[in-house]
Amino acid sequence: MGTVVPQVAQSQEVTDGFHLVIDALKLNGIDTIFGLPGIPITDLARKAQAAGMRVISFRHEQNAGNAAAIAGFMTQKPGICLTVSAPGFLNGLTALANATTNCFPMILVSGSSEREIVDLQQGDYEEMDQLAIARPFAKAAFRVLHAEDIGVGVARAIRAAVSGRPGGVYLDLPGRLFPQTIDAAAAAKSLIKVVDPAPRQIPAQDAVQRALGLLRTARRPLIVLGKGAAYAQADAEIRALVERTGIPYLPMSMAKGLLPDTHPQCASAARSFVLPEADVVMLVGARLNWLLSHGKGKTWGGKDPKDWGGQRFVQVDISPQEADSNVRIDAPVVGDIGSCVSALLAGIGSDWAGPPAEWLAAVAERKAKNVAKMAETLAKNPAPMNFHSALNVVRDIVKANPDAYLVNEGANALDFTRSIVDMYQPRKRLDVGTWGVMGVGMGFSVAAAVVSGQPVIAVEGDSAFGFSGMEVETICRYNLPVCVVILNNNGVYRGDERNPTGGRDPAPLVFVKDARYEKVMEAFGGVGAYATTPEELRAAMEEAIRSRRPTLINAVIDEGAGTESGRITSLNPAAKRK
Ligand code: ADP
């Protein structure tokens, strides 16, 4: 008779790195992964879906990364982008850098090769020191080597992405981590549910008083709302502050709709008047970068590009380092926008007189003049269509469907859409952001539809669409209510350039003439439409919104419409010389 051998080791429950990553994300309320599977993260994607997460697979990692970044902007939770090693990681890196630049919270999670082989440069499959490469492009970068550290790694990544000024975070997960097994009870204990991931930051009272004091002295005050204000989701407080002060405001591109663009205090239509004329400007979640001409030069009433216009600035921002980045900030208010705006409101007092009537009248007069001029242009119906007549339709459709998201990229297609199409709700306009980058279109569209379930209208230049166009397959695969409108003028900026030598190659900025982009959507089972008149465009857009079917409308416009570099001609040395 033999003795009974206890089987403790076999009966002990274990888990592995795959499951721990998924559990750590789910524990922190992250329910969606955008990515592109392959070695070594294929099984992670499969198991995440099996565990009930939404896994949205793209055709190129940059688009998955852009989707993750904008999901972060929309939700204040870090968007997750999952990629393979080396090339897939590098494809995702552009989106990570863009997220960091735009203050969008996202986490790029990339599988990586064997550490020992990479570090000795012995030529592993897709060998690359990804952590070192990611660092300069990210707000923070971490690597997890042991399964028991996954909980800490994910928690640190989440905190880094959303606390303070949000940004992109890189999380490096070597292939060998995933199959590591660990006792299930110990694993459960190692996970961290992050408490208060983006702590409020209350501004100092003296800073608030200093800001209010400066605003009180203003004769021609102005508020500039940036995408930081949109991100903060302090919509009611911001509206209350704007309305309580009575100060005209200017929304930056992605802050459009924070208050409806039709709000009487909105000064968008008088932008070139209010910037140089204002004496005190309060920036709320907006940086004085190139998009605001660095606070200097002719835009601000200065004599030359380096000349300061004499404005005094209040800057409300979560980053204490932002103040004085371009010109002197007289009253920095550092804290989260919700807390800062509430403190400013509380401090205003019943004696607040509001801006002088002459200033408000001057702004209103300029606004009325420009609105009338624009209405005249929009009423024209030239053949072929131009940007204005096509965007007049988009403007009506967005007005009738204020819940819809508007994704927008291009050069002229961007500039005209921004100024013509009014927004009515916060965080509905998603565009090229701080870099003015191309290629965000389809990634943003997929994320907006997946995260919100609302219809998405993507107004794309034909050039811009090319950067992410293959994702129409993704849009069809997930059957998303995305309506892509390509303003097609046959080229970059415009389509009428010729090769000056008369040689066989086309000019570098033109595309195939009369391209049928709508057929790309049809190829994957979506709806394609071809529109050469505003009536055709309107009918196709209305049907797309009604049916919620993936739709691509090829809106053919005059190939001579459009200017080089759109509204940023001043940044293009070639155009400057002309
Ligand atoms: P825009 O391009 O619309 O002008 P920017 O991206 O230049 O906007 O500026 C956004 C600013 O908002 C950044 O300086 C960032 O630090 C700040 N910010 C982001 N989120 C918050 C927040 N929750 N509270 C306060 N400031 C924020």
Side-chain angles (χ1 to χ4, degrees), residues 148-488:
E148 62 265 32
D149 293 330
I150 287 173
V152 168
V154 169
R156 298 213 71 191
I158 291 173
R159 277 200 188 280
V162 297
S163 61
R165 171 183 277 180
V169 175
Y170 176 60
L171 187 61
D172 190 88
L173 302 181
R176 268 209 197 154
L177 175 75
F178 299 115
Q180 277 180 29
T181 53
I182 150 174
D183 171 68
K189 269 198 223 155
S190 73
L191 295 184
I192 296 174
K193 182 166 169 43
V194 177
V195 175
D196 196 10
R200 287 205 302 150
Q201 296 189 26
I202 314 291
Q205 257 317 307
D206 56 342
V208 172
Q209 288 310 326
R210 190 185 298 121
L212 286 171
L214 185 54
L215 284 173
R216 271 201 189 90
T217 64
R219 306 296 305 157
R220 297 179 304 282
L222 176 70
I223 295 174
V224 176
L225 301 174
K227 61 179 165 317
Y231 173 80
Q233 296 193 18
D235 310 335
E237 293 89 333
I238 290 170
R239 185 174 186 144
L241 180 69
V242 169
E243 290 181 346
R244 176 77 184 82
T245 59
I247 297 175
Y249 73 93
L250 208 54
M252 298 299 288
S253 186
M254 281 178 64
K256 276 166 70 76
L258 190 42
L259 286 82
D261 281 340
T262 46
H263 193 283
Q265 285 169 255
C266 180
S268 291
R271 188 180 196 272
S272 60
F273 173 73
V274 291
L275 287 176
E277 287 296 319
D279 62 350
V280 175
V281 179
M282 177 159 74
L283 303 159
V284 183
R287 288 171 284 188
L288 274 178
N289 54 20
W290 71 281
L291 290 161
L292 280 169
S293 307
H294 305 280
K296 292 179 270 202
K298 291 207 171 102
T299 307
W300 294 87
K303 284 187 284 302
D304 59 63
K306 295 234 177 283
D307 187 31
W308 166 56
Q311 287 81 3
R312 307 190 72 198
F313 287 98
V314 176
Q315 185 160 32
V316 178
D317 204 289
I318 202 152
S319 168
Q321 293 174 44
E322 188 52 42
D324 305 329
S325 59
N326 285 273
V327 298
R328 187 181 66 226
I329 300 298
D330 301 275
V333 182
V334 175
D336 71 274
I337 282 171
S339 301
C340 292
V341 168
S342 299
L344 287 162
L345 255 175
I348 276 182
S350 51
D351 60 337
W352 180 265
E358 312 85 78
W359 172 234
L360 298 182
V363 177
E365 191 192 321
R366 179 60 73 101
K367 214 175 120 172
K369 206 167 100 192
N370 290 348
V371 167
K373 210 156 72 185
M374 177 64 94
E376 214 175 278
T377 314
L378 291 178
K380 287 185 190 144
N381 192 0
M385 273 196 297
N386 62 10
F387 284 103
H388 288 90
S389 58
L391 287 169
N392 190 33
V393 174
V394 177
R395 174 184 162 99
D396 289 347
I397 302 281
V398 169
K399 187 173 182 186
N401 300 278
D403 288 340
Y405 282 81
L406 180 68
V407 171
N408 188 203
E409 63 175 341
N412 293 283
L414 174 84
D415 293 333
F416 285 120
T417 306
R418 189 178 49 229
S419 60
I420 292 171
V421 179
D422 287 332
M423 303 304 297
Y424 301 87
Q425 292 181 15
R427 295 171 294 284
K428 294 288 187 183
R429 188 185 150 85
L430 312 173
D431 70 22
V432 302
T434 303
W435 269 346
V437 70
M438 301 245 187
V440 295
M442 296 305 102
F444 279 14
S445 297
V446 170
V450 165
V451 169
S452 73
Q454 300 290 348
V456 177
I457 298 164
V459 176
E460 302 271 315
D462 50 338
S463 162
F465 175 72
F467 288 76
S468 65
M470 193 64 203
E471 302 298 345
V472 295
E473 190 276 332
T474 310
I475 292 169
C476 289
R477 192 168 7 114
Y478 291 92
N479 194 24
L480 300 173
V482 175
C483 171
V484 182
V485 178
I486 298 184
L487 298 176
N488 181 6

